Amino acid sequence: NTSNSQMLKLLLISLLSVATVAAYAESDVLNEVIVTATRSEIDPAEAPGSVTVINREEIEQKGGENIRDIIRGTPGISLQGIGTGGRKAISLRGMESKHTLILVDGKRIPASNDVIGPNTDYQYDWIPTSRIERIEIVRGPMSVLYGADALGGVINIITRKPGKKLEGNIKLTSRLADGDSNNDGDGHDVNFNISGGATDNLQFSVGAQQARRSSVASKLNPGQSAIEGREKQQLSLGVDWQPAESQNIKLEYSMGKEDR
């Protein structure tokens, strides 16, 4: 009858609502976690510091060539000029850039000032942006966990984990700048990523990037660059193997070349 039909509809609507909420809650628990603040997965609300997470969708929307381009404009982050040619370093909460620690999957990336020379910023280009799943930014002193180089905070780059299904993408970006010459500031950026499962317990990933930007001449200092030209090539390879349940062995190889 009509009464039973209405009750059945209400029951179905209620069940669908519960299922939708449960699915959303499960997705929220799986995705909205951070690992930087405590070195283990926690809810962002429980993190001992101010946390910002930039996810894959936002990274693609920003279209940045490197880490610095991606996090530019994030609250609490500023860029400090270093050296010449428009080089800039990342500063958290106004502290010197040497107090901003950069990690890739929890592993330290040494500042190029320490291994190459003063006034260099190569550390922001040492991973293809196509390989980045999300970036966790923790503002505030984290020296207890990470040492004195994390007095300003930590930037942890989480790379994309290969799934069992084969998938890939390629992104082409072209830049045209309005300068005094025909090619001032022009350039391009090619990003490539492919990953998938070779077997049920063996996955692979390949990421690569090739980018070029011509220099922009300085109007104040003839013969010098206001923004230096650069060209870079990067390659990142990874293999994940699960010998048993709840175990994962990861082998990684990466290389890069950058000319300024």
Side-chain angles (χ1 to χ4, degrees):
N1 56 31
T2 305
S3 177
N4 290 337
S5 177
Q6 290 178 343
M7 290 181 62
L8 181 60
K9 288 181 180 179
L10 288 174
L11 179 60
L12 289 174
I13 292 173
S14 299
L15 290 174
L16 286 173
S17 299
V18 171
T20 301
V21 171
Y24 176 80
E26 180 181 2
S27 175
D28 188 59
V29 170
L30 289 174
N31 293 323
E32 296 299 322
V33 296
I34 62 169
V35 298
T36 307
T38 61
R39 297 188 177 184
S40 60
E41 292 188 353
I42 61 170
D43 188 283
E46 300 176 3
S50 178
V51 181
T52 298
V53 179
I54 303 175
N55 59 33
R56 182 66 205 166
E57 183 179 356
E58 293 173 303
I59 292 172
E60 293 179 349
Q61 289 175 350
K62 289 175 178 289
E65 184 182 318
N66 54 29
I67 304 166
R68 184 180 52 220
D69 293 344
I70 293 172
I71 69 175
R72 184 192 300 268
T74 303
I77 288 182
S78 58
L79 301 180
Q80 299 176 342
I82 56 172
T84 59
R87 294 183 181 183
K88 296 183 181 298
I90 297 173
S91 168
L92 284 174
R93 291 194 166 178
M95 300 196 71
E96 293 183 60
S97 59
K98 66 180 180 180
H99 296 308
T100 299
L101 177 62
I102 296 179
L103 308 172
V104 175
D105 292 330
K107 300 183 292 291
R108 291 170 178 264
I109 297 297
S112 54
N113 279 345
D114 299 331
V115 295
I116 297 177
N119 301 325
T120 57
D121 58 352
Y122 289 88
Q123 66 267 27
Y124 306 132
D125 291 275
W126 286 354
I127 181 171
T129 55
S130 62
R131 292 285 300 121
I132 301 175
E133 177 64 28
R134 69 181 188 273
I135 300 177
E136 300 176 352
I137 305 169
V138 182
R139 296 176 291 275
M142 302 294 293
S143 56
V144 173
L145 287 175
Y146 297 100
D149 47 354
L151 285 174
V154 179
I155 298 173
N156 193 11
I157 303 161
I158 308 298
T159 58
R160 303 171 73 172
K161 296 180 180 179
K164 294 184 178 181
K165 182 180 179 181
L166 182 65
E167 59 182 6
N169 63 281
I170 184 170
K171 183 177 181 181
L172 308 176
T173 304
S174 179
R175 298 183 179 87
L176 298 175
D178 184 14
D180 293 335
S181 66
N182 292 330
N183 62 350
D184 272 2
D186 292 354
H188 68 265
D189 185 7
V190 181
N191 258 288
F192 169 81
N193 182 74
I194 186 171
S195 63
T199 63
D200 288 340
N201 63 343
L202 183 67
Q203 301 86 40
F204 73 93
S205 60
V206 180
Q209 183 177 17
Q210 201 280 335
R212 179 192 62 84
R213 183 186 65 194
S214 60
S215 62
V216 176
S218 173
K219 296 181 179 180
L220 298 177
N221 301 302
Q224 297 185 18
S225 297
I227 300 178
E228 64 185 346
R230 63 182 180 181
E231 184 170 352
K232 67 176 181 178
Q233 299 86 35
Q234 296 171 301
L235 177 65
S236 176
L237 307 175
V239 176
D240 286 70
W241 176 47
Q242 299 83 41
E245 188 176 356
S246 302
Q247 295 181 358
N248 185 72
I249 297 175
K250 186 175 184 65
L251 302 177
E252 296 177 299
Y253 171 80
S254 62
M255 60 85 65
K257 177 182 179 182
E258 186 169 354
D259 297 320
R260 299 287 183 96

